[in-house]
Amino acid sequence: MRTKIVVGNWKMNTTVKEGIQLAKAVAAASSNVNGVKLIVAPPFTHLTLVKEALKGSNVELSAQNCANKESGAYTGEVAAKMVASTGATYVILGHSERREYYGETSEILLNKVKLALANSLKPIFCIGERLEERESSRHFEVVKAQLEEVAYQLDKTDFEKIVLAYEPVWAIGTGKTATPEQAQEMHAYIRKVLAEKFGSKAENTSILYGGSAKPSNAKELFSKADVDGGLIGGASLIADDFIAIAQSF
Ligand code: PGA
C-alpha cells in the first residue's frame, strides 16, 4: 500500500502571524482526516514557528525549496541542513515556478535532491509539461526526461525516500485541472518509467497530482489508481478546503 499524501504548498503567501493561524487551523482539523498524511509547506521564514503550531498533531512540515550548495557564502540561500534543523521533514523541489522563474535546471535540482536526502529531508520532486508541450504531444517525452535527469540518478535506497508530484504547468493556478483520466494516464506512465529503472520499488512511490485541485474535483482525481494524493496550492490557504481535499479519499 502506497502512502496517501496531501501537501499544502503555501507559495509566497501569508505573514508569519497568518501562517501560524493557518497551521493551527490545519492542526486542529487534522484529527478529522484518516489514512492520509498531511504536510504543510510554508515559506522559510515561518518554518520554526509553524512547527511549533503543529505540535500535538500528525501534520508534517515541508520547505518549498532549499539551496543547491551545502553552506557558505551564498547570500539569501537556505541550506537543506538549515531546513532540517527547523523540524521540517520534507522539501518541495523542482516546482515549475522554480524551474521557470529562477532557472532551476535538472543539474541544479539533482544537487538539491541529493543535499536534501543527505540531511534526512524527503524530497517532493515536481515534474510536468507546459501547455505547448502537451499541445504538440510531447508531454510524455518531457516528463520522462525530467525523471531520467534526476530520479534515475539516485540509488535505490534514496529513490525509495522520494515523493513525486505530477503538475502539468498549464493547470497550476489557472483553474484548469487535468481530467482524472489525463492525470491517471500520466501517473501510470511515470510509474512505468520509474519501474524501468527501479523495478518493483516504483510500486511503492507516492505520486501526487498538482494543479488547481480543490474540494470539488479532488474525489474524482483521487479515485484513480495511480493518483496517491495532491500537491495543493491556492486551496491550501483555506484550512477547511485543504482538509476537505484530504477527506476526499
Ligand atoms: P494550485 O497550485 O493548486 O494553486 O494550482 C499547485 C502547485 O503549484 O503546487
Side-chain angles (χ1 to χ4, degrees), residues 9 11 95-97 167 171-175 210-213 231-235:
N9 175 11
K11 307 194 179 182
H95 192 282
S96 64
E97 288 151 16
E167 299 207 304
I172 298 177
T174 57
S212 300
L231 178 51
I232 319 297

Side-chain angles (χ1 to χ4, degrees), residues 3 6 9 21 23 39 41 49 59-60 67 74 78 88 101-102 106 119 128 141 144 148 160 191 196 202 225 233 242:
T3 311
V6 173
N9 175 11
Q21 276 170 0
I39 303 172
L49 290 163
V59 182
E60 291 197 47
Y74 301 100
V78 177
Y101 308 143
Y102 299 94
S106 289
N119 287 283
E141 175 194 319
K144 185 173 193 194
E148 285 174 345
E160 286 181 294
R191 206 177 298 288
E196 281 163 16
F242 182 60

Side-chain angles (χ1 to χ4, degrees), residues 2 99 125-129 134 139-148 151-152 159 162-168 182-199 201-210 226-228:
R2 289 189 285 273
R99 293 178 190 261
F125 184 66
C126 307
I127 50 182
E129 80 284 358
R134 178 161 284 261
H139 44 299
F140 291 120
E141 175 194 319
V142 166
V143 165
K144 185 173 193 194
Q146 290 171 336
L147 290 170
E148 285 174 345
Y152 266 38
F159 168 71
I162 72 169
V163 172
L164 286 167
Y166 169 59
E167 299 207 304
Q182 283 173 322
Q184 170 57 26
E185 182 185 37
M186 184 58 92
H187 283 226
Y189 175 75
I190 291 167
R191 206 177 298 288
K192 184 183 123 233
V193 171
L194 293 173
E196 281 163 16
K197 170 82 180 176
F198 297 106
K201 297 219 180 295
E203 271 307 307
N204 302 326
T205 305
S206 296
I207 307 177
L208 317 183
Y209 168 80
D226 287 287
V227 179
D228 306 311

Side-chain angles (χ1 to χ4, degrees), residues 66-220:
C66 72
N68 62 333
K69 301 280 197 278
E70 216 168 311
S71 68
Y74 301 100
T75 303
E77 288 295 306
V78 177
K81 191 174 187 171
M82 299 171 186
V83 170
S85 74
T86 68
T89 43
Y90 287 85
V91 58
I92 298 170
L93 292 171
H95 192 282
S96 64
E97 288 151 16
R98 300 295 318 171
R99 293 178 190 261
E100 185 105 0
Y101 308 143
Y102 299 94
E104 294 193 2
T105 60
S106 289
E107 194 187 345
I108 291 172
L109 290 172
L110 180 58
N111 275 330
K112 292 189 177 200
V113 166
K114 285 184 173 166
L115 281 166
L117 288 164
N119 287 283
S120 306
L121 292 170
K122 293 176 211 128
I124 300 166
F125 184 66
C126 307
I127 50 182
E129 80 284 358
R130 298 192 186 98
L131 183 61
E132 63 271 24
E133 291 161 343
R134 178 161 284 261
E135 283 175 342
S136 56
S137 297
R138 284 187 296 129
H139 44 299
F140 291 120
E141 175 194 319
V142 166
V143 165
K144 185 173 193 194
Q146 290 171 336
L147 290 170
E148 285 174 345
E149 286 161 13
V150 181
Y152 266 38
Q153 307 304 316
L154 304 175
D155 63 31
K156 276 195 178 173
T157 322
D158 277 346
F159 168 71
E160 286 181 294
K161 295 177 188 146
I162 72 169
V163 172
L164 286 167
Y166 169 59
E167 299 207 304
V169 180
W170 46 270
I172 298 177
T174 57
K176 242 196 214 178
T177 318
T179 64
E181 291 69 32
Q182 283 173 322
Q184 170 57 26
E185 182 185 37
M186 184 58 92
H187 283 226
Y189 175 75
I190 291 167
R191 206 177 298 288
K192 184 183 123 233
V193 171
L194 293 173
E196 281 163 16
K197 170 82 180 176
F198 297 106
S200 60
K201 297 219 180 295
E203 271 307 307
N204 302 326
T205 305
S206 296
I207 307 177
L208 317 183
Y209 168 80
S212 300
K214 42 189 181 267
S216 59
N217 60 25
K219 203 179 178 74
E220 260 196 293

